[in-house]
Amino acid sequence: MAALKFDDNKVPYLDLGKGYRIALEGDEYTDAKSKEKAARELRETPEVVEKSMQELRALLQEEKSLYVPMDNDAFMIKFLRPCKYYAKSAFELIQRYYRFRYKHPDLCDDLFPATAKHVYAEGLVHFLPLRNQHGSRILVLECGKKWKPANVSLNDLFRAVQIALEAGMYEPRTQLNGAIVILDMEGLSLSQIMQFTPRFAAMALDWIQQCTPMRLKSVHILNNSYLFNMLFAIFKPFISEKLRKRLFFHQKDWNSLMAHIDAKCLRPNYGGTLECLETDGALLGEMFELYRKEYELANSFGYLRKQD
């Protein structure tokens, strides 16, 4: 049975047995391989970082209605890395990110793990314990037979994904290596499809494609059926060419999936060799909740709301 534990540095983790664990990795990378990759792919050198931080701070100082911690280097880097340290691009990403949160308070206000614990308890949103062969964090969304809209609304599901993303944004290695998403649609039903509208699809894809400070490397759709094609038709008009190139449809072809993700990173039900306990969703929600102070701080930033 999976268990929530703490390491010697009092960092919480989910123990999945056989040495496998899920934990948030908040430490900066210092190994030569990661630093070389950051320099090559993100232009991350001391000179570029310093110059970009100065430029970004100057831009943010002019955005008077936006409250963000300009003196916090980790916060700034979280947005600079996905923009390859181009300050203007990072500034525009920050604007889009917080404008989205301002525009959709029902989806973005009070994004605390406790508000989505029922979503995690259903096992709909979770991480795999290993990163892929390129160091990317693997996020799994099980939106088929596990999802019961009567228990978890579509809005709550979206909120839980945002909370998980915030956890990934906290990790320097994920900022560098990005994330990949596995969408498992096994057992998708017509009643679930009916939860989606073109308006929701446009909003979700705007968030994914324009507002998310994350290097989304690929999305892998599993167990897709003719019903999924109906759902995909709602989203298709809003998918950019860039994202379209990163979408892969595998149905039940695990060899196709493993052409992108090493077998050692995937559980046997996806054709892989990762033998460990299943992620306990309720415990994952509890682990996120242990970062309450970090989530409270993250929720305190944004555009100032007009007072009535």
Side-chain angles (χ1 to χ4, degrees):
M1 187 174 178
L4 180 57
K5 298 181 179 180
F6 295 85
D7 67 14
D8 293 340
N9 296 316
K10 297 184 179 179
V11 175
Y13 68 93
L14 286 191
D15 185 354
L16 302 182
K18 299 183 179 180
Y20 293 104
R21 62 173 61 184
I22 296 174
L24 300 188
E25 302 167 359
D27 293 336
E28 270 292 341
Y29 45 79
T30 56
D31 60 292
K33 184 178 179 181
S34 295
K35 294 183 82 169
E36 186 277 329
K37 181 177 182 178
R40 173 168 39 86
E41 294 189 7
L42 307 183
R43 308 189 312 131
E44 189 173 287
T45 63
E47 298 77 20
V48 170
V49 171
E50 182 179 1
K51 181 173 181 290
S52 298
M53 297 266 264
Q54 290 176 352
E55 292 176 355
L56 181 54
R57 285 194 175 98
L59 289 167
L60 287 170
Q61 284 171 351
E62 295 302 312
E63 193 78 346
K64 302 299 184 183
S65 61
L66 177 62
Y67 169 64
V68 291
M70 287 181 281
D71 58 342
N72 185 315
D73 288 356
F75 173 87
M76 305 283 276
I77 286 174
K78 182 168 68 175
F79 287 92
L80 281 164
R81 277 182 175 141
C83 296
K84 301 182 180 181
Y85 284 91
Y86 290 104
K88 187 171 186 294
S89 296
F91 173 64
E92 291 170 351
L93 175 59
I94 290 172
Q95 287 180 309
R96 292 194 301 271
Y97 180 74
Y98 286 108
R99 282 173 181 163
F100 182 93
R101 295 188 64 141
Y102 185 92
K103 185 178 178 182
H104 301 283
D106 56 323
L107 296 170
C108 301
D109 280 3
D110 300 323
L111 276 176
F112 304 121
T115 67
K117 61 183 180 181
H118 61 298
V119 184
Y120 295 114
E122 297 280 331
L124 304 179
V125 181
H126 57 88
F127 295 128
L128 290 179
L130 295 182
R131 295 174 178 271
N132 80 342
Q133 64 270 28
H134 303 298
S136 303
R137 177 66 84 179
I138 304 175
L139 176 67
V140 180
L141 305 180
E142 297 191 50
C143 300
K145 61 186 179 184
K146 280 190 176 182
W147 179 31
K148 299 176 180 59
N151 298 339
V152 174
S153 71
L154 183 58
N155 280 7
D156 283 351
L157 180 58
F158 186 76
R159 287 172 62 86
V161 172
Q162 289 185 83
I163 290 165
L165 177 81
E166 189 70 40
M169 288 163 54
Y170 170 78
E171 302 180 300
R173 286 192 181 279
T174 305
Q175 295 167 11
L176 169 62
N177 299 308
I180 62 177
V181 177
I182 292 176
L183 278 177
D184 187 346
M185 308 306 295
E186 183 178 10
L188 182 71
S189 69
L190 189 58
S191 64
Q192 292 168 329
I193 293 173
M194 296 299 289
Q195 306 300 311
F196 293 87
T197 63
R199 183 178 180 182
F200 180 89
M203 177 276 300
L205 283 168
D206 177 53
W207 176 72
I208 293 167
Q209 296 174 149
Q210 299 295 326
C211 307
T212 305
M214 178 68 71
R215 304 183 77 195
L216 179 61
K217 308 301 284 187
S218 57
V219 178
H220 300 272
I221 297 154
L222 313 181
N223 296 304
N224 44 305
S225 63
Y226 74 94
L227 278 177
F228 173 80
N229 294 336
M230 294 172 59
L231 176 60
F232 186 68
I234 301 174
F235 284 83
K236 193 172 181 179
F238 309 106
I239 299 175
S240 68
E241 185 62 27
K242 180 180 179 180
L243 179 58
R244 198 181 302 269
K245 291 177 179 177
R246 298 180 183 185
L247 289 176
F248 300 92
F249 302 87
H250 303 288
Q251 296 183 330
K252 293 181 180 295
D253 187 345
W254 306 140
N255 288 328
S256 173
L257 177 63
M258 287 186 290
H260 299 270
I261 306 172
D262 276 357
K264 67 179 182 180
C265 305
L266 296 167
R267 296 186 183 280
N269 62 316
Y270 296 148
T273 59
L274 176 60
E275 295 275 5
C276 66
L277 295 169
E278 290 291 327
T279 303
D280 184 311
L283 289 180
L284 180 65
E286 284 185 35
M287 187 183 84
F288 286 161
E289 180 61 20
L290 292 170
Y291 290 87
R292 172 84 185 191
K293 288 183 179 179
E294 286 80 1
Y295 279 100
E296 286 179 347
L297 189 61
N299 275 274
S300 70
F301 307 139
Y303 280 98
L304 304 175
R305 295 195 181 278
K306 296 177 182 178
Q307 299 296 318
D308 294 329

